[in-house]
Amino acid sequence: MTKAPDETGIAPQACRLETGGHIDRDRTLRFRFDGRTLTGHPGDTLASALLANGVRLVARSFKYHTPRGILAEGAEDPSGLVALGRGARHEPNTRATMTTLTDGLEARSQNAWPSLRWDAAALMRPLSAFMPVGFYYKTFQWPPQVWPLAEPVLRRMAGLGTSPRQPDPDTYEHRTAHCDVLVVGAGPAGLMAAWAALAAGARVILADERASLGGCLLKERTVLNDAPAADWVQTVLGELTSDSRVTVLPATTVTGQHDHGFWLAAERIYDRPDTDPAAAGPRQRLWHIRAKQTVLATGAIERPLVFAGNDRPGVMLAGSVRAYLNQYAVAPGHKAVVFASHDEGYRTALDLVAAGIPVAAVVDPRADVRGPLPDRVRALGVPVRDGYVIGDTRGTASGGLSAVSVHRYRTGGDMVSVGEWLDIDLLATSGGWNPTLHLHAHTGARPIWDAETLAFQPDPDRGPAWLAGACGGLKPLDAVLLSGREAGRGAAEAAGLRLPEGGSPCPTVAPDDPAQATAGTRRAALWAVPKPAVANGKRFVDLQSDVTVEDVALAHREGLESVEHLKRYTALGMGTDQGKTSNVTGLTLLAAARHQPIPEVGTTTFRAPYTPITLGALAGTATGEQFAPVRRSPLHDVQAEAGAVFQATGLWLRPRFFPRDGETLAEAVQREVRTTRERVGMVDVSFLGKIDIQGPDAAEFLNRVYVNGWTGLPVGKVRYGLMLREDGMVLDDGTTARLAEDHFAMTTTTANAGRVMEHLEHALQVYWPELDVRLVSTTDAWAAIALAGPRSRQLLTFVTDLDVSNDALPFMGVATGDVCGIPARVFRISFSGELAYEINVPAGYGETLWRRLSQAGSALGLTPYGSEALGVMRIEKGHVAGPELDGRTTPHDLGLGRMVSTKKSFIGHRLLERPALTDPDRPRLVGLVPEDGRTRLLAGSQIIAVEHAGAPPPIPRLGHISSACSGPSVGHPVALGFLTGGLEQWADQTVLVTYPLKGTQVRARVVPPQFYDPEGSRQNA
Amino acid sequence: MTRYSALSLIRQGFAGHNGWPRVWRDATPRSGYDIVIIGGGGHGLATAYYLARNHGLTNIAVLEKGGLGGGNVGRNTTIVRSNYLLDENAAFYEHGMKLWTRLSRDLNFNVMLSQRGVLNLAHTDAQMEAFARRGNAMRLNGIDAELLDVAAVQQAAPLLDTSPDARFPIVGGLIQPRAGTARHDAVAWGYARAADALGVDIIQNCEVTAIRRDRSGAVLGVETTRGLIGAEKIGLCVAGHTSQLAAMVDLPLPLESHLLQAMVTEPVKPCLDTVVTSGAAHCYISQTDKGELVFGGDLDGYPSFAQRGETPRIEHICASAVALFPAFSRLRLMRTWGGVVDMSMDGSPIIDRTPVPGLYLNGGWNYGGFKATPAAGWCFAHTIAHDAPHPLVRPFALDRFARGATLDEKGAGPTPALH
Amino acid sequence: MMLIPCPWCGPRPRVEFTYGGPDPSTHPRPADTAPLDVWTRYVYERDNPKGEARELWRHGAGCRQWFVVERDTVTHAVAASEPLPGVEDPR
């Protein structure tokens, strides 16, 4: 196996086997690990390539910072976590085993400083005796200064890798797919299931988390139909991929089962072997799969045996050792011991010998082991130590495994304390297999303990999916293949398809295949080997969270003895691997400590996702500007042209102001207000919600949803309305015009447009289906411009033949006709308090209307204005808006109590009678002006009594300022606010407007909340 | 009770940690108690503890249908704060904040209170004004609050995207510096241990199936899966299932049970030192001491007792997290879970006597039960002990809906899913 | 994600719908003349069933119709849906 450096000077792959493996030896890929340049081949994972180069130490553990290597070969690996990429593409905590090796891959170790080999934090290890599980709950309580000092230290010790610091340059997407049969897992059972379902004509999605499909058929030396199993895999995959009804998704993890046949699957596109890295495209894709039927063929996960020093790099799962030998042609060590509690250990020994790796012993806790596999191993001259266990390990300076001690063992835990040391660097270990039932259990199925196989088996009643292969119970390979075929056919039939007579035949398995021999053999219920009196290492149950057998015992001793408590107290299974190799072992140890059978101790809840999903994939395309839809008025572009500065308001982008050369916000607003008040201004009001209401009962309907009366409103008139929730609080306000006897046009506030529509539809459909009324939202159908100011009528006459005189179109009137040659509705309503017209035209004509009005208005000094100036003018006028309609105010609170009809019923009218809502001491709307006539009152200020100036908290509040402005039209700052008892109690009195966040206080006089033209002579002009 | 301290850790370290006693006794039910608290979560355990400590009442049982602390106390996003607008809420939660700051010492159990600040992000000027209104009210109520400009926000959370091009640009924020997080499980265990030490019986795997009453209607005790247990007074602390327990005495409540999801990423080294919330993005984010980023968001929006949520909410919360922190896009979501919360009709809780003599109610905690744990326990204990509501919880009375004195912090009205 | 069977549009993903409270047949809006406490109970109190529930839902992203769904609040299983009383079931 030793090779000389090649001409490039890069070290050869010292642990690559000469032959075999499903790798492409013709192509060499270069990658870097911790700055060293190494090589591998297509078909490698990062883990297999590291092992091929003899790299065994890859990480440091979470708590004790002890050396960690690669334990497994798949998603279950708890310890081989590395950082990938650089800069903005840095990615922490990635499993080396699940990373497809690509040319130029950059990987680094993490959670170690200054280097992986010499980690300062590991010096803490001697203190570990004083840091048992949950030690932090027991100290740092006192004095209070201690914990704030200790916490940052603990935080820095924890945490594994580091977060990227820059925005992710890659993209992600979501895709929705429907199918008859979803097959999860493309091992022997999954391939058969997909093939059989297709044979029945089903639309099939086949997803597998691995980049290379075939599952155990690639990892073992299996022969199917007298040929290597990989040939059969290629044949079936060929059948599947060539059929348009099938979607085959490699490197795609089905991460969760959700309600009603909904499955989430994360596709790591860059890990797919068929992805061209040069072609720009999304990095990952999240599939939303709605499947009529699902076959789970997720296999089983091997669990390690627990013994002292079982965390050293070089200790590896026995099945994973076979995968590295057979799939990747990698020798994970130079000399091995196999330690397993069942017959599969012998299978690993056979493969090791076949690969030319000496096996010092097969150590088996069972006494007197006989059978085809043990006999074959013995025949090869490999020592079989049945009735023995591994008790301890030794390591090299860098932490790698160098020796194991073998101890005589009798079932029941009686172990000879002194063992015999064997010098080896690879220990293949297996404590049995756990069917992979995560997806099965996500929607509530509870796996059942089976004492025969020493594993949880699926809940036969609860799971909504078909189970095939090992996840439905361990079985010989021919039975696995058959179960896949049956599940595929069953699923297809249940999805409504007709089954064919034949098709998709199961391949023939060689009778002497080890996979035929091991499934049903005797298994030792050995979970943790006793610790010898003097041991070098700890006995780790969870290699990532650093949970030991002693920790489990301590948790039990302290009464944290339910599965859930154990998990939360020790962090067992709470790592990035979610305890795939440790949960069941932890549970059995807990059961033993409680002297209870495992079923009584229970199982933990399986929670999605099966393996972690990047936030980017979950966000999909909802990033940046696409995080939320942007709503733009039909007048957006023309206003942008006019120099508008926009502000996000809800989903809308609204013009805030229109600065002219160098103007500040305040200057521009001042000018826009002055121009409008003195001449004429125009503002985009397309944002207001608009609802078209038609039908013979339309007026009656409005009567029932508004507090004021509507039946008497003449055609051609507009009325201001106030709408309540059932609890009597104001939901929304706005104007509604009667265009015909049976036709009304309602406006709502921008923020509540959706909610009001839903409210009205609810009322109409659920409360009063007898009313003959139709509703449609027309918010997006109209462009709306308000023309305001003393010259607005004049301007309007330039562009319309409509009679817009005060007689023909008085305040609160509506007219229909052409404006600027465009069919329009003209509402004589005013938010600013000026003579004003709101012109609505079909949205597509909005821009034309804006341009023509601008043109016609230039002679009159027309200015466009934005939401800021609009806000200033409505405050000066004393109109309520969002800050006043905060969901806690009644009509009375707003000073609109006289609008509330006493002659009819309407939504909210009964609960409005409740005592607390009619209390005269409720905060009610008032106006406030600074006593000094100068100092701004700030929205968000609180109001207190003058005598409470400088008082210590808590200071009783009298109310607050809801809206405020500098009052450019009235010559002094003004504010709207709510004050306990309202004007009745406070008119003309002085209160203190306080803003403790800035330390300011202003004496203010309470006045009626109308500052500008309270008589309304301007708007009525 | 063996006191926990650095010294006891060292001593036990030399003894192989063989001498640690149980955190709480696993009590078997006796035939009767003065007071039975239903629900062995944070609120139930805190109530029992304060009944014993503040009121000298120790003949108490806490009944838990499953394992202690398995409900919402172990399913929340661990945020502790008192940044409320309404005076009634502010006074109550601020009392809680004071209890939090000395809780580790009171309980002799480190609940890992981390006063790292809770920062609410404002994305519009209107929001900033609403924050100012709340922050000013907090100050008047003696609660710490600071208004931050964009630069200060950036300093508090350097990885936040504060650029003006963001879809919802950040214009500032309101921070309560004393607020923060606490280790949720530790709160349950710490209260359990302290209550147990004062003589309270904590009985797990004991589900209440009926409430027994005498002819006058007063409570006599509870029927449980472990037999009949007599009680003169019964306190309900069963967040998520309050309606079900109240239905045993035909008491309809203004509650709806909804599903609230939370989730964590894989752990990373410290990268976020404060709790960040955004109303526009509908999410809240913090980092645990272990290094996981914890996300929470809005309800799924319909009644559910399933303790597992739907993917659209998860996707939206993650999109929100990435919108706020674009650098987090490559981190991975590791675990999601759901809790069943009692949503009340005004978004505020209920602590009160009930029309049934001897039956007391603590429920309707909406999103906020965890942070309320000490104050709720304190006030509910008082309410039970004196058969009269503690002054701080008088506003949380059950009849406030009939009176119209709702405490609608969000102004959302009687639609539970909107609070 | 649940599939909600809209009587008009067929089964659609839950995100297209909003939940709107209990079935009005079992939780009717009181008459205007009903006593205040009846109104208070209507607006505020809920049966909040754990298990089978009859609920009001709205297909906001589709036909905008309100209708009744029979759903289990524990398992999320949807047994049936029907239009409001007096509305013909289009199916």
Side-chain angles (χ1 to χ4, degrees):
Chain A
M1 274 180 290
T2 311
K3 300 166 203 165
D6 65 10
E7 63 279 7
T8 60
I10 297 169
Q13 299 167 25
C15 297
R16 183 74 73 183
L17 298 172
E18 295 290 350
T19 57
H22 305 290
I23 52 169
D24 178 3
R25 292 173 194 260
D26 293 342
R27 286 171 55 211
T28 298
L29 306 173
R30 290 199 192 186
F31 69 103
R32 285 162 70 84
F33 180 68
D34 277 350
R36 273 175 70 200
T37 300
L38 304 168
T39 62
H41 301 292
D44 264 325
T45 63
L46 175 59
S48 70
L50 286 168
L51 289 168
N53 286 278
V55 177
R56 294 152 68 85
L57 171 63
V58 297
R60 290 272 170 174
S61 69
F62 192 87
K63 182 176 174 187
Y64 299 124
H65 284 247
T66 50
R68 287 286 184 270
I70 287 159
L71 176 78
E73 63 85 36
E76 72 277 23
D77 188 37
S79 52
L81 305 181
V82 298
L84 296 184
R86 279 210 175 275
R89 288 196 162 84
H90 165 77
E91 172 193 333
N93 303 343
T94 306
R95 292 161 169 79
T97 54
M98 296 299 285
T99 303
T100 300
L101 190 73
T102 50
D103 203 42
L105 185 77
E106 171 95 34
R108 291 176 313 285
S109 59
Q110 52 183 28
N111 204 31
W113 182 88
S115 75
L116 182 58
R117 183 113 190 239
W118 307 109
D119 180 16
L123 299 174
M124 299 279 286
R125 206 180 168 192
L127 293 178
S128 68
F130 309 106
M131 299 193 301
V133 58
F135 75 95
Y136 32 79
Y137 299 132
K138 296 189 168 87
T139 181
F140 308 124
Q141 306 95 322
W142 186 254
Q145 296 82 1
V146 173
W147 174 240
L149 292 174
E151 191 193 15
V153 178
L154 290 183
R155 283 186 72 191
R156 278 196 295 276
M157 289 280 291
L160 291 175
T162 59
S163 168
R165 314 280 306 174
Q166 298 163 39
D168 188 346
D170 288 325
T171 61
Y172 304 81
E173 68 179 25
H174 291 177
R175 189 176 291 179
T176 300
H178 296 259
C179 62
D180 295 313
V181 180
L182 166 67
V183 179
V184 186
L191 287 169
M192 278 308 303
W195 197 21
L198 174 64
R203 290 173 305 149
V204 176
I205 295 176
L206 172 65
D208 192 290
E209 60 180 343
R210 306 309 299 261
S212 306
L213 304 184
C216 68
L217 297 178
L218 302 182
K219 301 172 194 174
E220 310 285 4
R221 295 185 292 156
T222 306
V223 170
L224 293 178
N225 294 341
D226 300 320
D231 295 356
W232 179 81
V233 170
Q234 286 317 311
T235 306
V236 175
L237 279 175
E239 298 257 333
L240 293 172
T241 50
S242 62
D243 195 302
S244 63
R245 287 168 295 187
V246 182
T247 306
V248 177
L249 299 172
T252 303
T253 307
V254 176
T255 56
Q257 185 202 162
H258 305 276
D259 289 320
H260 304 176
F262 189 72
W263 303 76
L264 215 57
E267 180 184 7
R268 305 181 313 280
I269 299 170
Y270 289 8
D271 273 334
R272 284 181 62 147
D274 54 352
T275 297
D276 174 10
R283 175 177 176 239
Q284 295 174 357
R285 183 179 290 129
L286 196 65
W287 289 79
H288 295 171
I289 301 172
R290 188 73 74 169
K292 283 187 189 160
Q293 298 289 319
T294 300
V295 176
L296 296 181
T298 48
I301 293 172
E302 197 166 23
R303 56 184 183 239
L305 286 165
V306 175
F307 48 90
N310 63 338
D311 59 327
R312 293 188 191 284
V315 177
M316 197 178 275
L317 288 170
S320 297
V321 168
R322 296 200 299 276
Y324 285 116
L325 293 171
N326 301 323
Q327 182 171 355
Y328 302 107
V330 165
H334 299 88
K335 191 174 182 189
V337 160
V338 179
F339 175 33
S341 58
H342 53 101
D343 274 10
E344 273 194 55
Y346 298 92
R347 193 177 177 189
T348 304
L350 290 173
D351 284 7
L352 282 164
V353 172
I357 299 167
V359 179
V362 177
V363 178
D364 190 332
R366 301 171 298 175
D368 306 322
V369 176
R370 288 283 174 273
L373 287 178
D375 292 347
R376 274 162 71 181
V377 168
R378 284 195 178 93
L380 289 169
V382 173
V384 171
R385 310 288 291 270
D386 43 357
Y388 282 80
V389 291
I390 303 293
D392 196 9
T393 68
R394 281 187 195 139
T396 62
S398 61
L401 182 71
S402 63
V404 296
S405 74
V406 182
H407 302 247
R408 188 103 181 86
Y409 176 81
R410 275 181 294 277
T411 311
D414 180 11
M415 181 178 90
V416 175
S417 199
V418 180
E420 172 198 348
W421 286 95
L422 298 177
D423 290 336
I424 53 144
D425 64 356
L426 175 66
L427 178 67
T429 176
S430 179
W433 293 83
N434 299 319
T436 309
L437 295 172
H438 302 65
L439 294 173
H440 166 70
H442 277 169
T443 54
R446 302 287 286 184
I448 295 158
W449 180 255
D450 176 31
E452 189 72 23
T453 54
L454 298 172
F456 282 99
Q457 301 294 347
D459 178 343
D461 304 327
R462 291 289 305 282
W466 302 78
L467 293 150
C471 76
L474 297 180
K475 42 183 94 66
L477 182 57
D478 56 358
V480 164
L481 290 158
L482 187 61
S483 75
R485 185 171 191 270
E486 284 172 354
R489 286 169 66 85
E493 190 174 31
L497 294 149
R498 283 246 305 277
L499 294 182
E501 277 305 314
S504 60
C506 285
T508 314
V509 182
D512 62 343
D513 191 298
Q516 293 297 100
T518 53
T521 56
R522 181 164 58 106
R523 290 155 189 280
L526 174 66
W527 307 102
V529 175
K531 202 170 178 176
V534 180
N536 294 311
K538 291 178 185 289
R539 294 183 294 167
F540 286 95
V541 181
D542 183 331
L543 284 184
Q544 185 178 119
S545 300
D546 279 352
V547 180
T548 65
V549 174
E550 286 69 26
D551 291 332
V552 175
L554 177 59
H556 169 256
R557 192 177 310 132
E558 296 192 82
L560 294 153
E561 57 191 352
S562 75
V563 177
E564 197 65 20
H565 288 148
L566 175 73
K567 193 175 87 175
R568 289 163 180 270
Y569 192 55
T570 63
L572 176 79
M574 301 287 268
T576 64
D577 62 319
Q578 297 280 286
K580 291 186 177 62
T581 57
S582 59
N583 278 343
V584 173
T585 306
L587 183 71
T588 58
L589 293 173
L590 183 67
R594 283 170 53 168
H595 303 293
Q596 279 179 323
I598 289 162
E600 282 182 34
V601 177
T603 172
T604 51
T605 314
F606 290 101
R607 292 200 175 101
Y610 172 68
T611 53
I613 314 172
T614 57
L615 300 184
L618 286 158
T621 52
T623 59
E625 200 190 36
Q626 294 183 70
F627 168 62
V630 177
R631 296 185 75 178
R632 291 183 183 88
S633 143
L635 306 172
H636 183 93
D637 292 348
V638 71
Q639 291 181 98
E641 225 173 82
V645 174
F646 293 89
Q647 186 175 40
T649 313
L651 296 178
W652 288 101
L653 283 181
R654 289 183 71 164
R656 195 177 180 198
F657 61 110
F658 294 78
R660 289 192 182 154
D661 16 65
E663 273 180 337
T664 63
L665 168 67
E667 287 162 357
V669 171
Q670 188 96 8
R671 176 185 48 75
E672 289 171 14
V673 169
R674 198 178 53 235
T675 310
T676 303
R677 293 262 192 243
E678 293 173 4
R679 300 185 191 115
V680 59
M682 68 174 177
V683 63
D684 182 4
V685 289
S686 311
F687 313 96
L688 292 175
K690 300 173 209 59
I691 299 170
D692 203 65
I693 303 170
Q694 298 193 38
D697 298 324
E700 173 60 22
F701 177 64
L702 290 175
N703 231 21
R704 297 184 191 187
V705 295
Y706 275 132
V707 302
N708 42 338
W710 289 80
T711 40
L713 182 71
V715 173
K717 286 290 187 185
V718 186
R719 187 166 280 175
Y720 174 72
L722 209 54
M723 204 180 277
L724 308 188
R725 301 187 306 232
E726 283 284 24
D727 67 348
M729 299 297 172
V730 175
L731 169 65
D732 201 53
D733 71 344
T735 56
T736 295
R738 191 163 203 171
L739 301 174
E741 274 304 315
D742 57 355
H743 186 188
F744 291 82
M746 176 187 278
T747 63
T748 74
T749 61
T750 305
N752 285 330
R755 200 169 171 199
V756 168
M757 186 67 192
E758 186 170 331
H759 176 77
L760 296 184
E761 286 179 332
H762 179 267
L764 194 57
Q765 293 178 33
V766 181
Y767 291 170
W768 311 306
E770 70 278 9
L771 294 184
D772 190 356
V773 177
R774 295 291 181 276
L775 305 171
V776 64
S777 167
T778 57
T779 303
D780 294 331
W782 298 95
I785 294 173
L787 271 185
R791 297 180 185 175
S792 57
R793 182 178 291 136
Q794 195 184 350
L795 171 51
L796 204 49
T797 56
F798 293 171
V799 293
T800 182
D801 294 333
L802 276 172
D803 184 353
V804 293
S805 67
N806 198 39
D807 292 338
L809 185 57
F811 184 56
M812 299 306 262
V814 58
T816 309
D818 282 3
V819 175
C820 301
I822 305 162
R825 291 175 183 167
V826 180
F827 304 86
R828 172 108 184 257
I829 53 176
S830 175
F831 200 44
S832 59
E834 298 299 331
L835 170 66
Y837 301 86
E838 204 177 292
I839 308 161
N840 286 14
V841 296
Y845 290 110
E847 200 172 309
T848 306
L849 179 69
W850 179 278
R851 287 188 198 284
R852 294 201 178 156
L853 287 174
S854 302
Q855 214 169 15
S858 62
L860 299 175
L862 173 75
T863 180
Y865 63 96
S867 55
E868 289 286 334
L870 182 71
V872 165
M873 288 189 278
R874 75 95 188 165
I875 294 168
E876 289 180 335
K877 180 67 186 168
H879 283 310
V880 294
E884 287 75 38
L885 308 178
D886 68 356
R888 287 181 291 259
T889 43
T890 67
H892 231 78
D893 300 343
L894 297 167
L896 300 170
R898 64 188 181 286
M899 283 178 66
V900 180
S901 168
T902 51
K903 299 192 195 100
K904 58 156 194 164
S905 80
F906 52 86
I907 290 177
H909 119 270
R910 287 308 305 278
L911 291 202
L912 200 53
E913 298 165 12
R914 289 177 293 169
L917 268 56
T918 50
D919 185 344
D921 278 345
R922 280 181 72 81
R924 311 234 298 269
L925 188 73
V926 297
L928 296 110
V929 293
E931 274 197 341
D932 65 4
R934 303 189 312 271
T935 313
R936 284 283 300 269
L937 304 172
L938 299 177
S941 300
Q942 294 290 340
I943 304 172
I944 61 173
V946 174
E947 63 267 27
H948 283 136
I955 301 171
R957 291 193 285 145
L958 297 174
H960 74 280
I961 303 289
S962 52
S963 304
C965 71
S966 64
S969 322
V970 295
H972 56 77
V974 298
L976 298 176
F978 289 85
L979 201 51
T980 302
L983 273 181
E984 282 87 338
Q985 278 186 38
W986 293 96
D988 274 331
Q989 295 186 57
T990 300
V991 291
L992 211 53
V993 171
T994 178
Y995 202 103
L997 290 167
K998 291 182 178 166
T1000 61
Q1001 290 193 330
V1002 185
R1003 289 170 66 91
R1005 199 160 45 83
V1006 179
V1007 297
Q1010 294 86 25
F1011 308 97
Y1012 183 76
D1013 185 29
E1015 308 78 32
S1017 57
R1018 298 182 71 90
Q1019 67 192 17
N1020 292 321
Chain B
M1 179 169 93
T2 309
R3 281 198 69 76
Y4 289 163
S5 67
L7 203 65
S8 64
L9 266 174
I10 293 168
R11 208 179 296 133
Q12 286 287 345
F14 286 113
H17 298 284
N18 282 317
W20 293 112
R22 294 181 64 98
V23 178
W24 68 87
R25 290 169 297 126
D26 192 20
T28 40
R30 285 186 273 134
S31 61
Y33 294 88
D34 293 345
I35 302 169
V36 161
I37 303 294
I38 306 177
H43 284 222
L45 294 164
T47 302
Y49 168 71
Y50 290 117
L51 276 168
R53 200 195 82 166
N54 293 357
H55 305 282
L57 300 166
T58 56
N59 187 21
I60 297 173
V62 177
L63 309 185
E64 168 54 49
K65 76 172 171 186
L68 182 149
N72 291 346
V73 72
R75 293 169 176 271
N76 56 78
T77 50
T78 80
I79 297 169
V80 167
R81 60 184 175 89
S82 60
N83 55 354
Y84 280 82
L85 168 69
L86 303 179
D87 290 339
E88 297 87 347
N89 282 330
F92 173 80
Y93 286 105
E94 179 56 16
H95 177 65
M97 204 62 230
K98 295 197 171 84
L99 293 174
W100 274 114
T101 52
R102 56 175 218 240
L103 195 59
S104 292
R105 178 164 61 118
D106 284 355
L107 301 180
N108 180 238
F109 199 101
N110 184 9
V111 300
M112 302 171 78
L113 177 70
S114 180
Q115 293 179 278
R116 51 180 74 177
V118 169
L119 170 61
N120 305 139
L121 299 175
H123 300 271
T124 62
D125 294 344
Q127 236 171 16
M128 205 62 184
E129 287 174 1
F131 283 178
R133 178 183 172 194
R134 178 151 57 92
N136 284 322
M138 288 165 65
R139 287 286 197 88
L140 292 180
N141 281 317
I143 300 169
D144 59 322
E146 283 166 37
L147 217 49
L148 304 185
D149 61 14
V150 180
V153 165
Q154 182 84 79
Q155 204 173 7
L159 293 182
L160 262 179
D161 178 6
T162 54
S163 71
D165 317 326
R167 175 65 185 86
F168 294 111
I170 294 166
V171 301
L174 178 73
I175 190 167
Q176 184 187 15
R178 283 188 312 144
T181 58
R183 170 84 182 124
H184 56 5
D185 292 329
V187 173
W189 302 335
Y191 271 119
R193 175 166 167 270
D196 174 81
L198 294 171
V200 172
D201 276 0
I202 296 167
I203 301 159
Q204 300 181 92
N205 303 309
C206 178
E207 183 172 358
V208 171
T209 53
I211 294 173
R212 285 243 184 129
R213 301 159 74 183
D214 67 15
R215 233 175 272 161
S216 76
V219 301
L220 287 172
V222 290
E223 290 171 31
T224 77
T225 48
R226 297 178 70 174
L228 180 69
I229 301 173
E232 286 174 21
K233 294 179 175 181
I234 297 172
L236 293 186
C237 295
V238 290
H241 289 79
T242 313
S243 301
Q244 278 61 48
L245 270 292
M248 292 177 184
V249 293
D250 299 320
L251 178 64
L253 292 175
L255 298 176
E256 211 169 70
S257 296
H258 280 257
L259 188 90
L260 182 58
Q261 299 196 68
M263 55 213 76
V264 293
T265 66
E266 295 180 344
V268 286
K269 296 291 178 193
C271 62
L272 177 60
D273 295 332
T274 187
V275 181
V276 173
T277 81
S278 163
H282 308 288
C283 78
Y284 33 103
I285 305 179
S286 63
Q287 189 175 22
T288 66
D289 284 351
K290 216 179 139 185
E292 303 141 331
L293 291 162
V294 186
F295 304 145
D298 289 349
L299 300 172
D300 275 20
Y302 50 86
S304 175
F305 293 83
Q307 291 196 337
R308 62 187 159 79
E310 289 188 332
T311 52
R313 177 62 64 209
I314 296 169
E315 289 172 355
H316 182 67
I317 290 172
C318 291
S320 302
V322 173
L324 295 173
F325 295 94
F328 291 167
S329 166
R330 296 175 92 84
L331 299 182
R332 296 186 200 87
L333 192 76
M334 175 169 89
R335 192 163 58 242
T336 66
W337 65 92
V340 180
V341 294
D342 290 344
M343 294 305 293
S344 73
M345 291 288 165
D346 62 355
S348 291
I350 300 163
I351 295 186
D352 203 355
R353 293 172 294 188
T354 68
V356 177
L359 182 69
Y360 302 84
L361 172 64
N362 167 350
W365 290 98
N366 301 283
Y367 287 62
F370 177 68
K371 64 178 169 293
T373 305
W378 182 284
C379 295
F380 195 40
H382 176 106
T383 304
I384 295 172
H386 296 277
D387 191 36
H390 186 283
L392 283 174
V393 295
R394 248 176 238 150
F396 301 153
L398 191 51
D399 71 353
R400 68 177 185 270
F401 301 97
R403 286 187 284 117
T406 49
L407 294 169
D408 195 341
E409 187 84 20
K410 217 169 160 184
T415 306
L418 296 181
H419 286 289
Chain C
M1 182 171 31
M2 293 188 291
L3 279 178
I4 305 283
C6 172
W8 289 270
C9 310
R12 290 286 187 278
R14 200 273 308 157
V15 284
E16 296 187 7
F17 298 83
T18 42
Y19 162 76
D23 173 9
S25 314
T26 54
H27 188 83
R29 187 167 188 262
D32 196 55
T33 49
L36 190 56
D37 65 318
V38 172
W39 268 96
T40 303
R41 284 207 295 275
Y42 165 70
V43 172
Y44 290 108
E45 286 174 4
R46 297 286 182 270
D47 289 342
N48 194 19
K50 180 176 183 178
E52 286 173 21
R54 288 180 60 88
E55 302 171 332
L56 192 59
W57 286 74
R58 170 183 184 256
H59 193 190
C63 59
R64 308 180 74 93
Q65 293 297 304
W66 289 92
F67 59 97
V68 175
V69 176
E70 265 179 53
R71 194 179 64 95
D72 189 303
T73 60
V74 177
T75 64
H76 291 177
V78 173
S81 66
E82 59 194 60
L84 288 164
V87 180
E88 196 190 341
D89 195 326
R91 289 168 296 192

